[in-house]
Amino acid sequence: MKTTLNTQVTPAHLTNKTYAKHWDIFCVVVDNYGDIGVTWRLAKQLAAEYSIQVNLWVDDLNSFSHILPALNPQLNQQQFAGVNIIHWNKVTEISFIAGSVLIEAFACELPSSATNTLTQLKHTHLDQIPVWLNLEYLSAEDWVEGCHGLPSTQLSGLIKHFYFPGFSVKTGGLICEQDLFVQRDNWQNDNSNKLALFDKLGLSGIEAHHIVISVFSYETNALPALIKHWQVSTTPIHLLIPKGRSLNSLSALLPCHVNELVTGQQILLDSVTLHILPMTDQQGYDQLLWSCDFNIVRGEDSFLRAQWAAKPFIWHIYPQEDDYHLIKLQAFMQVYCDNLAPDLAKPWCELNLSFNQGDQIDIVNHWQKLEFNHLPLLQHAKKWPMTALNDADLASRLVQFVKSR
Ligand code: TRH
């Protein structure tokens, strides 16, 4: 596969033969789509780029089907993109055969069949115990470097390692497919791609000089405040909103109850047009991010995809107790702005902070100061993905990590 990053080429020593045995990834959908979004993306990449046979165990296929519409939530087992997707839950016994790697995503509790199998192997076939990892949430905080890769001894006496994604060489890296930037550049270099996408989504009335913004956020008062400000814009603004939580914040602006909105609906609010979109698969969502002038994203995975889209963005981080998420936001803003001129970094950080704090007045002030289509900010957004990757993506670091165990 062609790549812009030499270091992302599959190393010769990581052949199919080395990793003939399958990997298992267990995912519990806590809420939203991030848990399944991350594990599905990683599973696809391991299958496509490393020829690893992956079993992705998921407890909630209904949620999964929002980001993989072709999935049948009624089936216990099915294959997509070379990944074996298996439905599991805590009640039903599953038949589990250990492979060479076992990934527990985001500290989800493994089914007893899996832990019992590991304990048995410890007594009978020590050499067949899989490398056991807990894939953690992404954070740009400093402490992540010190915790990445640490072993922890389980009650069974077995060792589980903590695998932390992150933005520096000493962490587990960031999920990014080898050919993604080539695909993105091809898409963005030909304007007809974005027009064809808008056409496919049934979006009408978007002209070349209009501003197009995608919106995939949680509830926040900052969003309606921004929209009210955009309503008097001299340039028409189109908001592409996949049906979901962002709309809950807009009830005062909508002509009907939020539950009555249908995909394909367009709502005209002076200079702003709200376009209600269906959710698509992950590739379709990438294309949407590549096609917009500015993206509002959230959580963990769409946050990363907005960075890979090389466009300016607002990150609505997943809210945590005692506002801990604001510490994580600050940590990310610091790394993102490391090479950004202070006169751009300041309004961009303030904009992100006020969006997350739901501030209705500050958000408008900061938006006015940002000039999101200012060339140096666009250049930074374009350069950033290579800086963030630090020469190796998460899957390639993960494969190396497993090999070194
Ligand atoms: O859905 P999220 O809010 O998920 C969150 C976060 O991961 C958070 O950290 C976690 O603690 C919580 O879940 C439980 O946001 P996120 O992470 O961006 O995941 C959304 C996924 O949905 C991502 O993989 C992109 C995908 N997606 C599509 O595939 N198609 C779409 O149309 C859209 C809008 C999203």
Side-chain angles (χ1 to χ4, degrees), residues 22 133 171 178 196 199 222 270 332 387:
H22 75 269
L133 303 169
T171 67
Q178 284 181 20
D199 208 37
D270 305 313
F332 170 70
T387 312

Side-chain angles (χ1 to χ4, degrees), residues 318-335:
Y318 187 77
Q320 285 180 271
E321 264 176 39
D322 301 327
D323 282 347
Y324 184 67
H325 57 287
L326 295 182
I327 293 173
K328 291 169 79 172
L329 175 67
Q330 293 285 7
F332 170 70
M333 293 195 303
Q334 201 177 333
V335 294

Side-chain angles (χ1 to χ4, degrees), residues 3 5-14 19 23 41-50 52 103 133 135 148 163 168-169 171-178 389-404:
T3 171
L5 266 182
N6 287 338
T7 44
Q8 279 192 277
V9 172
T10 310
H13 60 282
L14 301 174
Y19 290 97
W23 290 28
R41 196 181 290 291
L42 177 62
K44 280 187 290 187
Q45 193 184 359
L46 290 169
E49 295 176 13
Y50 296 90
I52 294 170
I103 299 177
L133 303 169
L135 175 66
H148 172 58
Y163 194 93
S168 75
V169 272
T171 67
L174 302 165
I175 296 183
C176 182
E177 300 80 5
Q178 284 181 20
L389 274 179
N390 281 298
D391 288 344
D393 67 294
L394 185 142
S396 67
R397 293 192 205 189
L398 180 61
V399 170
Q400 295 276 15
F401 184 87
V402 165
K403 196 167 182 290
S404 69

Side-chain angles (χ1 to χ4, degrees), residues 2-166:
K2 256 188 106 197
T3 171
T4 47
L5 266 182
N6 287 338
T7 44
Q8 279 192 277
V9 172
T10 310
H13 60 282
L14 301 174
T15 59
N16 296 355
K17 201 159 165 261
T18 323
Y19 290 97
K21 287 176 82 190
H22 75 269
W23 290 28
D24 290 290
I25 303 178
F26 279 88
C27 172
V28 167
V29 177
V30 179
D31 60 3
N32 303 308
Y33 309 107
D35 305 292
I36 185 56
V38 168
T39 48
W40 170 226
R41 196 181 290 291
L42 177 62
K44 280 187 290 187
Q45 193 184 359
L46 290 169
E49 295 176 13
Y50 296 90
S51 305
I52 294 170
Q53 192 195 322
V54 184
N55 290 332
L56 176 59
W57 302 78
V58 187
D59 71 335
D60 177 356
L61 295 184
N62 283 317
S63 292
F64 193 177
S65 67
H66 282 91
I67 61 166
L68 179 58
L71 189 80
N72 182 347
Q74 309 306 324
L75 293 180
N76 274 335
Q77 198 160 330
Q78 52 206 301
Q79 283 249 346
F80 284 95
V83 175
N84 192 22
I85 297 167
I86 313 172
H87 185 218
W88 73 289
N89 57 50
K90 289 195 177 123
V91 191
T92 321
E93 191 73 4
I94 59 158
S95 86
F96 175 80
I97 298 167
S100 54
V101 178
L102 173 56
I103 299 177
E104 189 181 307
F106 313 121
C108 74
E109 206 184 314
L110 289 180
S112 52
S113 339
T115 45
N116 291 343
T117 305
L118 297 188
T119 313
Q120 265 169 23
L121 287 174
K122 184 169 177 266
H123 298 299
T124 55
H125 297 89
L126 212 53
D127 58 323
Q128 287 178 24
I129 294 177
V131 176
W132 185 6
L133 303 169
N134 179 21
L135 175 66
E136 288 287 345
Y137 287 110
L138 169 62
S139 173
E141 291 163 284
D142 288 344
W143 59 263
V144 166
E145 285 189 352
C147 294
H148 172 58
L150 285 185
S152 116
T153 308
Q154 303 301 295
L155 286 178
S156 54
L158 293 166
I159 303 287
K160 176 163 80 175
H161 288 90
F162 292 98
Y163 194 93
F164 279 89

